[in-house]
Amino acid sequence: MDLLSFAFLGFLLYIVVFLGVKHGINYSELGILIKKKYKIEEEMPNLSNDDIEKELEKDIN
């Protein structure tokens, strides 16, 4: 039980630190300047429901 608790808490700590660092860098002044200078943007897929349904039908067939 102790090993399972330790693993879960370690994983939870990893997620908190990872998200904190990622958020901290992305929204800091330096992070914003780097994004503007090198024109870095996160790509968000622009998929409609029809596109998703077509892909799922391909996987089924």
Side-chain angles (χ1 to χ4, degrees):
M1 185 67 174
D2 290 332
L3 184 60
L4 186 60
S5 301
F6 181 72
F8 177 72
L9 289 174
F11 180 70
L12 188 62
L13 181 64
Y14 171 77
I15 290 174
V16 169
V17 170
F18 176 76
L19 291 177
V21 169
K22 182 177 178 182
H23 180 77
I25 290 173
N26 285 342
Y27 295 104
S28 68
E29 293 295 322
L30 182 60
I32 293 171
L33 288 173
I34 290 171
K35 281 183 178 182
K36 286 180 183 178
K37 182 177 180 180
Y38 294 106
K39 297 178 177 75
I40 298 172
E41 296 180 13
E42 292 183 25
E43 293 184 19
M44 302 274 294
N46 190 8
L47 298 174
S48 67
N49 287 338
D50 294 332
D51 294 337
I52 295 171
E53 288 177 9
K54 288 177 187 176
E55 288 296 321
L56 288 174
E57 287 175 2
K58 285 181 188 177
D59 289 343
I60 292 172
N61 293 333

